Amino acid sequence: MKSIHMLLVSTAVLVAPATSAFAQDGEVQAEQATEDAYSDNEIIVTATRRDQAAQDVPLSVSVVGGEQLANAGVVDIRGIQQLAPSLKTTTGQSSATGAVLSIRGIGTAGDNPGFEPAVGVFIDGVFRSRAGVALAELPPIERVEVLRGPQGTLFGRNTSAGALNITTQKPKFELGGYVEASYGNLDEIEVKAGVTGPVSEQLALRLDGGYHKRDGYIVDLNSDNRINNIDRYFVRGQALFENDTVSFRFIGDFAKTDEVCCGAVNTLSGLQLFPGIDTSSNSALALVATNIINGFAGVPALGGTAGTVGIPAYSRGSRTMAVSPGRNLAEKVSEWGLSGELNWDLGGATLTSITAYRDWDARRNQDIDFSGLDRAYRENYRTGIKDFTQEIRLQGTAFNDRVDWLVGGFYLNEKLTLNDTVRFGNQADQYVDGVIRELTRSAALPSGLQLFGTLGPATPLFGQVALATNPTLAAAAAGNPALFALFNSPLPRTPNGAGQQNDAYKVDTEAYALFTHNIINFTDNLSLTLGLRYNHETKDIASDLTSTVPACAFFQNPATAPYRAALQGAGLLNSAFLLTCNPTVNSEFNGVRSDDRSESEFTGTARLSFKVNDDVLVYGGYDRGYKSGGYNLDRGSFDSVLLGGDGAQMTDLEFGNETVDAYEFGIKTNFTRQFQFNASLFYSNFKGYQSNRFLGNSFVVLNYDKLVSKGVELESIIRPHPDLAFNLGYTYVDAKVTDPLAGADNGRQASNQPKHTITGAMTWTPQISEGVGGLFHVDYRVNSDAFPLNDLLGRRFTANDGFGIVNLRAGVNFGDGKYSIEGYVENLFDTYYNITAFPIPEQGNSFAVYPAPPRFYGVKVGAKF
């Protein structure tokens, strides 16, 4: 009937005997009717590019049907994790560019479009090149297949960790349609409608569209604006042509969002930049952060606004934050695409061709100091991805159907553009002076020092004190007016808007692959699957970086060398330089540069499967996976000559590819129509694992030497009655990095990955009376303890103890299913957890978290014909 993933296999075993007893009751005629009803429950998948029953596929694949998604209220791919324990989805500072999908603990984290996903998303056979590109509202779905482990001999684009294969509903050759509307708390409104029908005996059309809005659940205390809202719509048209030998499906779609995302809550974990700070208590850790940020934010004379909140008081579960006045977190995404899929029966073989073009564009603003102090911001950051893909496959059988063969090719032409705009705000210099003051305070100099002169005459300039305390320097300055002026003048002030004026990156990717996937049936029960793929890829990058920061120019001027030497002697050069001239905006790196890289790789699969009998399938095998290297599109990866580096080299942005050797053994059972149980063991050894890591002032991409993900997956489906389904799932994942470069991650469980995950669901659809049916659905996901950050200090403020999320939906339908009304609750118990976390740049050991959504509830009505 339906396939969701349940709690524990032990529960499945307990329920199974009742299942058998149920089937034995009743008359023979009733038993036959029940068997006929169960026969509709067999799940057919295309995971191997062949129509097969899910239980006959020698792969670890979870299948979620369209009806299950509707019962669970899933509106985009983030909701699928509630039904598939091995899948985890998170969103960071942007739902457009910061979304992460992971399978078996492996994903691609980082807010950088130069990063390609380890988990691929395919919608109607079309590859979506980044996770965020696939987060639009979903149209009506036929099924979602969650394929675990490397993919490449079947799908157009190779992936190293797994794939989501999403199949939407096609046009139908009979007139039909639907309309549904929901209203919930936080003024949530969702409307979807669609119509399908024939134009002729061979041509059918379909049109779907939807609009979804909801107020945000995070409050900015400085404006009372709501953050993390929803405001989006989509429209999707299809045409399907079919005759005896040819099928052609054409799809065109357009989607747009105009939202405010994504709010991060400062945990007040404090600054660790300052000597003498007692770190034994949370209040001590927060002391310097609140003094600097809250103090400056509320003083009009320093560029602030009276009454401005710097950092709100924090307790776990807080959903309040402070955004600098005049800044915002606006995020606008528009995308459209066209695709055509041709299937042509040539008699002895079938030719499949999928041609697609997709255009995706995201623009967003961001308050990147994560406080009410106007230190820094992004304004009109823009990312665009244009993808042309062509996949072609030829498939057939040979040797009296003993060999099921497939050969194919894939081509990708991608044009990626990024325009970054990290800029300083009105209080940039005040913040630096506040930090320097705290760094230099002592018993001998309780006032501390400053660089820009924003704190008033009570705090002396660094240069003045250096001149007064260094006789040699004072003597030199006495006869050198320029040197005397240098040490008696503040650093040149930073105007609002200084920083990146328009850092422009372009990356052109051209990739092609040849692949084959073949099943050799030695007997009716014994099969060998052999697949091979050749990948070749080139990337060409061009950058035009322009940043204007007066302090950067000051430090890079040869005439200021004595001032730099004085800072170096005082142990302040690194701090002063990185604060006034952060690597992300360092004008030393300005210029026009280009580079290219090319790589080739073979991947493949070898699997043996044996049907013990009609009810038991045993399989095992090896997969070689691969994800290409690329470029980190962020000047923060360059190293400054001033600090001993070699300056801006395009190779500083480059990172290598990621490969994986994966082994798996599994068993699938289907003893009765009422009970299924599957289990798999996996071991995946990743080399060159790509990770986006924070190195104090900026994020860089590193290739870790080794990451091993191993574990077990259990699934069970129990159907004691055609109207009642229980589903249980359990995943144990041990995923650890081995590389000193990983710092706190080295040897520890992968960040934000629980070792134990349990999912479960019950769906009951009783026939209440003639023409009236019911629905009762509950699903849950339970995660064990996990650490969004492995930083030992950060764990204290960001860790998640084990928690569970429960969703509930109930309703009735009448008129033989034509009309329905449902009530729903998401996160029934209003459970709080941290979605993910990060260290805040320029605030020492201070951490922020992305808070979980609260409880949502509402009512939905629908009609169909």
Side-chain angles (χ1 to χ4, degrees):
M1 181 178 181
K2 304 174 178 72
S3 172
I4 318 166
H5 301 292
M6 287 181 98
L7 179 54
L8 288 171
V9 171
S10 57
T11 306
V13 173
L14 290 174
V15 178
T19 302
S20 301
F22 181 92
Q24 294 170 5
D25 294 337
E27 301 295 331
V28 174
Q29 185 175 359
E31 291 179 358
Q32 184 60 49
T34 300
E35 184 68 17
D36 292 342
Y38 283 124
S39 66
D40 295 332
N41 296 324
E42 186 170 66
I43 301 170
I44 304 299
V45 299
T46 58
T48 59
R49 297 310 192 195
R50 302 152 174 88
D51 290 341
Q52 286 182 281
Q55 290 300 95
D56 293 335
V57 177
L59 295 172
S60 288
V61 54
S62 299
V63 186
V64 185
E67 190 175 359
Q68 300 158 5
L69 294 171
N71 289 338
V74 174
V75 297
D76 62 33
I77 61 177
R78 283 172 291 199
I80 299 172
Q81 71 169 353
Q82 190 74 4
L83 310 175
S86 294
L87 173 69
K88 184 175 178 61
T89 66
T90 58
T91 299
Q93 61 180 289
S94 165
S95 62
T97 61
V100 179
L101 303 178
S102 61
I103 291 179
R104 293 175 171 172
I106 306 300
T108 302
D111 181 31
N112 194 308
F115 240 8
E116 296 185 8
V119 177
V121 178
F122 300 81
I123 300 179
D124 293 320
V126 177
F127 175 63
R128 302 297 178 95
S129 58
R130 304 293 187 277
V133 178
L135 287 184
E137 297 279 305
L138 290 171
I141 298 295
E142 182 178 319
R143 68 182 177 278
V144 175
E145 300 165 9
V146 182
L147 286 86
R148 307 189 286 268
Q151 308 297 321
T153 61
L154 288 164
F155 287 92
R157 185 68 164 159
N158 47 276
T159 61
S160 58
L164 268 65
N165 185 30
I166 300 173
T167 303
T168 68
Q169 294 183 14
K170 296 180 179 180
K172 296 181 179 179
F173 285 90
E174 57 184 32
L175 184 63
Y178 68 97
V179 61
E180 55 190 40
S182 302
Y183 182 78
N185 63 324
L186 295 182
D187 201 25
E188 182 176 27
I189 298 173
E190 183 175 17
V191 179
K192 288 185 178 181
V195 62
T196 185
V199 175
S200 67
E201 291 184 355
Q202 296 180 331
L203 179 65
L205 302 178
R206 183 183 185 104
L207 180 66
D208 295 283
Y211 171 72
H212 191 185
K213 71 171 288 290
R214 188 202 66 220
D215 293 342
Y217 54 85
I218 299 176
V219 179
D220 170 23
L221 296 183
N222 287 327
S223 67
D224 201 36
N225 289 334
R226 298 302 192 263
I227 300 167
N228 283 28
N229 70 322
I230 291 176
D231 189 354
R232 55 182 62 179
Y233 69 86
F234 78 92
V235 62
R236 194 171 195 259
Q238 300 183 63
L240 177 64
F241 173 84
E242 287 185 344
N243 62 24
D244 293 340
T245 59
V246 173
S247 170
F248 181 75
R249 184 184 184 188
F250 177 81
I251 303 174
D253 65 89
F254 177 81
K256 193 167 186 177
T257 71
D258 187 356
E259 301 171 350
V260 181
C261 191
C262 299
V265 176
N266 194 314
T267 63
L268 283 181
S269 40
L271 302 181
Q272 294 287 305
L273 287 171
F274 309 101
I277 296 292
D278 177 14
T279 61
S280 62
S281 68
N282 292 353
S283 59
L285 290 171
L287 177 63
V288 177
T290 52
N291 282 348
I292 293 176
I293 295 175
N294 283 339
F296 287 163
V299 181
L302 296 178
T305 302
T308 298
V309 176
I311 303 175
Y314 174 78
S315 61
R316 183 176 174 85
S318 296
R319 294 188 177 96
T320 58
M321 62 181 296
V323 178
S324 306
R327 312 302 177 202
N328 61 70
L329 285 73
E331 182 168 289
K332 299 181 179 182
V333 178
S334 63
E335 66 169 312
W336 63 273
L338 302 170
S339 67
E341 178 177 346
L342 170 70
N343 289 281
W344 188 2
D345 185 353
L346 301 177
T350 300
L351 175 69
T352 299
S353 172
I354 303 175
T355 307
Y357 178 81
R358 299 208 60 83
D359 188 316
W360 178 86
D361 182 87
R363 301 188 185 194
R364 61 188 179 94
N365 300 337
Q366 189 183 14
D367 186 16
I368 59 175
D369 53 58
F370 302 97
S371 73
L373 175 74
D374 192 18
R375 163 64 170 158
Y377 62 97
R378 269 191 172 106
E379 185 175 58
N380 202 27
Y381 167 102
R382 180 173 179 175
T383 306
I385 299 176
K386 295 177 172 61
D387 284 324
F388 172 80
T389 57
Q390 174 63 59
E391 180 175 350
I392 190 164
R393 303 191 304 267
L394 189 64
Q395 180 175 354
T397 61
F399 305 108
N400 295 322
D401 295 335
R402 288 297 183 185
V403 176
D404 191 339
W405 56 269
L406 180 152
V407 294
F410 176 77
Y411 173 78
L412 165 71
N413 185 296
E414 179 177 278
K415 298 187 182 303
L416 165 65
T417 58
L418 183 149
N419 295 85
D420 206 355
T421 54
V422 173
R423 295 171 180 169
F424 286 120
N426 289 304
Q427 295 174 291
D429 296 343
Q430 290 92 336
Y431 180 77
V432 174
D433 276 350
V435 173
I436 295 298
R437 178 180 61 187
E438 298 300 323
L439 279 171
T440 55
R441 274 181 170 168
S442 65
L445 189 66
S447 65
L449 302 173
Q450 60 177 325
L451 300 176
F452 290 100
T454 64
L455 305 182
T459 303
L461 293 171
F462 166 81
Q464 294 172 331
V465 174
L467 202 62
T469 57
N470 187 327
T472 303
L473 183 61
N480 186 337
L483 185 62
F484 182 83
L486 174 67
F487 277 88
N488 280 282
S489 301
L491 292 188
R493 293 295 301 271
T494 307
N496 177 40
Q500 296 174 356
Q501 300 310 299
N502 187 22
D503 274 14
Y505 299 88
K506 294 182 179 179
V507 180
D508 292 340
T509 300
E510 190 170 43
Y512 64 82
L514 301 174
F515 55 88
T516 181
H517 189 92
N518 309 283
I519 302 173
I520 304 170
N521 300 303
F522 296 113
T523 69
D524 290 342
N525 295 332
L526 181 64
S527 298
L528 174 66
T529 299
L530 295 174
L532 184 66
R533 179 186 180 101
Y534 171 73
N535 308 273
H536 180 76
E537 184 164 324
T538 60
K539 279 186 169 71
D540 296 288
I541 183 173
S543 66
D544 185 353
L545 309 184
T546 305
S547 179
T548 303
V549 181
C552 290
F554 172 85
F555 279 112
Q556 290 156 19
N557 187 341
T560 65
Y563 191 95
R564 297 197 306 270
L567 284 171
Q568 181 73 47
L572 289 174
L573 179 60
N574 280 21
S575 297
F577 181 67
L578 292 174
L579 284 167
T580 60
C581 188
N582 186 289
T584 305
V585 296
N586 189 345
S587 56
E588 175 191 339
F589 306 143
N590 287 352
V592 177
R593 302 177 183 86
S594 62
D595 192 32
D596 63 79
R597 56 174 285 122
S598 177
E599 56 189 283
S600 300
E601 188 78 24
F602 280 98
T603 60
T605 184
R607 288 174 173 265
L608 193 65
S609 64
F610 178 67
K611 269 209 155 189
V612 179
N613 53 46
D614 290 342
D615 303 320
V616 179
L617 173 71
V618 180
Y619 65 91
Y622 163 80
D623 294 289
R624 171 77 170 179
Y626 158 80
K627 182 158 73 84
S628 63
Y631 295 93
N632 182 36
L633 307 184
D634 185 340
R635 66 165 69 196
S637 295
F638 297 135
D639 46 6
S640 173
V641 172
L642 262 174
L643 298 181
D646 60 358
Q649 313 290 330
M650 291 302 284
T651 51
D652 295 338
L653 307 185
E654 189 173 5
F655 55 89
N657 63 28
E658 171 182 299
T659 61
V660 56
D661 295 303
Y663 304 87
E664 181 179 61
F665 172 79
I667 182 172
K668 294 187 175 185
T669 69
N670 193 21
F671 294 111
T672 71
R673 293 286 190 180
Q674 295 89 358
F675 177 64
Q676 293 178 359
F677 169 69
N678 300 335
S680 60
L681 300 171
F682 62 89
Y683 178 93
S684 301
N685 186 356
F686 287 80
K687 296 182 179 179
Y689 179 71
Q690 298 168 358
S691 178
N692 201 32
R693 184 168 176 79
F694 181 67
L695 295 183
N697 287 84
S698 57
F699 290 85
V700 299
V701 179
L702 301 175
N703 287 97
Y704 292 157
D705 180 58
K706 181 179 180 180
L707 184 150
V708 172
S709 172
K710 57 187 177 182
V712 60
E713 297 161 324
L714 308 174
E715 297 177 308
S716 182
I717 302 174
I718 305 166
R719 304 184 184 93
H721 187 274
D723 296 337
L724 181 63
F726 297 91
N727 306 75
L728 302 173
Y730 167 74
T731 296
Y732 170 79
V733 174
D734 184 317
K736 292 186 176 70
V737 169
T738 303
D739 192 326
L741 284 176
D745 289 330
N746 186 26
R748 293 190 176 93
Q749 179 78 350
S751 297
N752 219 20
Q753 178 59 49
K755 283 195 172 184
H756 305 275
T757 303
I758 300 167
T759 59
M762 183 196 77
T763 305
W764 183 34
T765 55
Q767 191 67 30
I768 298 173
S769 64
E770 185 175 354
V772 179
L775 166 68
F776 182 81
H777 171 88
V778 59
D779 61 62
Y780 59 88
R781 180 184 177 101
V782 178
N783 300 289
S784 62
D785 298 352
F787 300 99
L789 286 173
N790 275 324
D791 182 285
L792 294 182
L793 177 62
R795 284 185 174 205
R796 295 172 53 191
F797 303 97
T798 64
N800 286 320
D801 293 333
F803 66 93
I805 300 296
V806 179
N807 299 329
L808 183 66
R809 186 170 291 253
V812 295
N813 61 79
F814 47 94
D816 291 326
K818 290 183 179 180
Y819 310 101
S820 63
I821 181 169
E822 300 172 0
Y824 63 87
V825 183
E826 298 176 16
N827 192 3
L828 177 64
F829 300 108
D830 200 14
T831 301
Y832 179 84
Y833 60 96
N834 295 320
I835 296 175
T836 186
F838 62 94
I840 303 176
E842 297 190 334
Q843 291 185 29
N845 289 317
S846 190
F847 306 94
V849 297
Y850 294 103
R855 176 169 45 229
F856 297 134
Y857 54 87
V859 62
K860 173 183 172 182
V861 295
K864 60 184 179 181
F865 62 91

